[in-house]
Amino acid sequence: MNTVSSTPSAQHVLPPLPYAKDALDPVISAKTLEHHYGKHHQTYVDTLNKLVAGTPYEGKSLEETIAAAKKDGKTSIFNNAAQVWNHTFYWNSLAPKGGADVPAALAKQIDAAFGSLDACKAALLAAATGRFGSGWVWLVQDAGKLRIVDTGNAEQPDASCKPLLVVDVWEHAYYIDYQQRRADHVKAVLDQLLNWRFAADNLA
Ligand code: MN
């Protein structure tokens, strides 16, 4: 029986948060997650589903959609699809009681690229505060070496880079808890929430 063919269900879905909404408090409050995950991320998913319905993008995976929309110059589809992907990657880049316990294989690469974990965090903070307006700060593996990339709006690192983790520096990520104080927010994220195990799992 095929009873659903005339009413296609939403193709892209909001993945569950990998922790409870209050698990990142006080750096990221439950109220921020209710808005950031429950409203912003959900809206990117809903908008993407509306934009792709009845187009050649319908049925494509999220990654295929991002690549094709970028190539085709379909800005709205790219922006919403990339924001869906970026936010899911961001939630996984954070962990309750994170910030420490860097797996040895990753620590070795961090030392090789930056000199120390503190220097890596200082570089992430500098990129976060240096990014004018909305965007993302990424730790990536590029040709076998770690480096930091910052991107504007929904943009992602070049396809040649393997993202290891990301920090959201859009105002909606911190305004409820830190108002305009982006540097204070990002410093707290780096010290208390970064999921280095997730980053290590992403190493090529
Ligand atoms: Mn965001």
Side-chain angles (χ1 to χ4, degrees):
M1 261 204 331
N2 186 353
T3 58
V4 296
S5 59
S6 60
T7 53
S9 57
Q11 181 199 340
H12 299 285
V13 296
L14 184 68
L17 265 185
Y19 30 70
K21 282 213 180 78
D22 62 357
L24 307 181
D25 190 77
V27 177
I28 297 176
S29 65
K31 190 174 177 192
T32 287
L33 281 179
E34 276 161 26
H35 283 80
H36 197 180
Y37 169 76
K39 302 282 197 290
H40 289 284
H41 197 180
Q42 180 73 65
T43 299
Y44 294 127
V45 171
D46 294 345
T47 304
L48 177 62
N49 283 327
K50 281 183 195 138
L51 289 170
V52 302
T55 77
Y57 291 89
E58 193 170 343
K60 287 189 192 296
S61 73
L62 186 60
E63 287 80 4
E64 289 169 343
T65 302
I66 292 167
K70 179 98 179 163
K71 183 165 157 285
D72 299 345
K74 299 283 186 190
T75 307
S76 293
I77 292 176
F78 170 81
N79 282 339
N80 284 280
Q83 284 295 80
V84 171
W85 196 97
N86 293 353
H87 281 89
T88 300
F89 197 75
Y90 171 60
W91 306 131
N92 284 290
S93 297
L94 306 176
K97 297 187 173 66
D101 300 329
V102 184
L106 177 60
K108 196 175 159 192
Q109 296 222 25
I110 287 173
D111 288 347
F114 302 100
S116 68
L117 180 62
D118 281 348
C120 175
K121 283 158 63 175
L124 284 163
L125 181 61
T129 52
R131 158 60 48 191
F132 185 83
S134 297
W136 301 86
V137 174
W138 310 76
L139 179 65
V140 305
Q141 193 176 25
D142 182 9
K145 193 171 181 221
L146 303 196
R147 69 184 180 95
I148 288 161
V149 173
D150 68 282
T151 61
N153 300 316
E155 293 292 331
Q156 302 179 323
D158 292 342
S160 61
C161 297
K162 181 97 177 66
L164 303 184
L165 59 76
V166 73
V167 177
D168 188 341
V169 297
W170 283 57
E171 245 181 22
H172 67 217
Y174 56 85
Y175 203 82
I176 290 171
D177 301 317
Y178 285 81
Q179 292 77 52
Q180 82 290 355
R181 294 178 288 118
R182 181 190 289 186
D184 291 346
H185 164 77
V186 172
K187 193 171 184 317
V189 167
L190 300 179
D191 289 340
Q192 299 174 51
L193 297 181
L194 279 193
N195 187 344
W196 293 107
R197 188 152 298 281
F198 174 71
D201 288 346
N202 288 320
L203 283 172

